[in-house]
Amino acid sequence: AFREDVQDLPEQASLDDYESMPIEDFGAAMLRGMGWEEGKPVGRNSKGLVAAVEFVPRAGRLGLGAEPAPKPEVSDARRIKPGETRERADVMVLPEGPEGKSRNVKSLDEKLVKREEPGPREGKMMCVVEGRHRGLECRVLTLTKSEGRSERAQVELKTSGEVVTVRTSELADFGSGPADRAMGIGRGGGGGGPGSSSSGSSSSSSSSSS
């Protein structure tokens, strides 16, 4: 019986047979067989995504929306192995979203870009962590540095649209410790806005008077 089964087997496919059958559109051919048409969404109700997307993985143990910390400088004293280099490899990420937030979903034709080093730069969304605008989100408009003075940044506050000037040392990246503390993230109370210090002082003064 086994010998008969072997004799009934079809002849082995040749390389020419493989070349004559295109496999690039194999998945699309299966979808068309199930009623799909090009340009229409996939799904029972035809309400899904039309364009394919790709997920860009975050670094290990990195929280949602957080930015990875910059890698430490490689010491020149460290002995490197053959094939290694002392130059740090570029970290490729997706361009920031409209609110300056990190993204993890891209279209197939979208390119990754080199991750910018932390710190202020023109057009970047940041958090004010010191001064009367503490805890507010802003967009950096211009950076100026005068001799004998600390570097200043002209920023546009997100909530009011007001343009103000602050020191660059008063700005921090979202997801950093100073920004989280200024915005009240991770604490039971509200944000550390300008009114928090005044309310605290008034309460302390009332308790002392009583």
Side-chain angles (χ1 to χ4, degrees):
F2 174 74
R3 183 175 299 175
E4 294 177 355
D5 291 339
V6 172
Q7 292 177 351
D8 292 337
L9 290 175
E11 295 184 3
Q12 185 176 0
S14 64
L15 294 178
D16 294 335
D17 295 332
Y18 282 104
E19 292 293 337
S20 62
M21 182 177 295
I23 60 174
E24 289 79 6
D25 297 330
F26 181 76
M30 291 184 61
L31 291 174
R32 284 195 294 268
M34 293 182 281
W36 171 79
E37 296 179 9
E38 188 172 357
K40 292 178 57 178
V42 178
R44 180 189 297 271
N45 300 320
S46 298
K47 295 182 179 180
L49 296 174
V50 177
V53 297
E54 180 180 353
F55 288 89
V56 180
R58 298 189 302 274
R61 305 179 66 85
L62 184 67
L64 290 173
E67 296 289 345
K71 294 183 178 180
E73 296 289 343
V74 179
S75 173
D76 292 339
R78 185 178 70 87
R79 184 173 300 175
I80 62 175
K81 300 177 181 178
E84 291 184 342
T85 176
R86 297 191 188 278
E87 297 180 0
R88 292 182 298 173
D90 294 336
V91 179
M92 306 303 291
V93 296
L94 278 172
E96 294 178 348
E99 298 298 326
K101 306 295 185 180
S102 59
R103 300 165 50 224
N104 291 97
V105 180
K106 76 178 189 71
S107 60
L108 296 182
D109 57 349
E110 191 173 6
K111 303 297 183 182
L112 299 178
V113 298
K114 180 182 176 181
R115 183 170 72 89
E116 297 282 350
E117 293 296 327
R121 69 174 185 276
E122 294 183 4
K124 182 177 181 179
M125 292 295 297
M126 302 194 73
C127 176
V128 184
V129 297
E130 297 290 344
R132 56 191 293 260
H133 304 295
R134 183 175 188 267
L136 299 182
E137 298 181 33
C138 66
R139 182 182 299 277
V140 180
L141 300 178
T142 58
L143 297 172
T144 57
K145 188 172 184 179
S146 303
E147 187 176 356
R149 298 184 61 187
S150 58
E151 188 177 13
R152 308 288 172 132
Q154 192 177 46
V155 301
E156 180 184 5
L157 301 180
K158 178 182 176 182
T159 53
S160 63
E162 181 183 2
V163 177
V164 298
T165 301
V166 298
R167 296 184 179 90
T168 54
S169 58
E170 298 175 353
L171 301 174
D173 292 278
F174 293 111
S176 64
D180 289 347
R181 289 191 293 270
M183 302 178 70
I185 299 176
R187 300 187 299 184
S196 59
S197 58
S198 59
S199 60
S201 60
S202 61
S203 61
S204 60
S205 60
S206 61
S207 61
S208 60
S209 60
S210 60

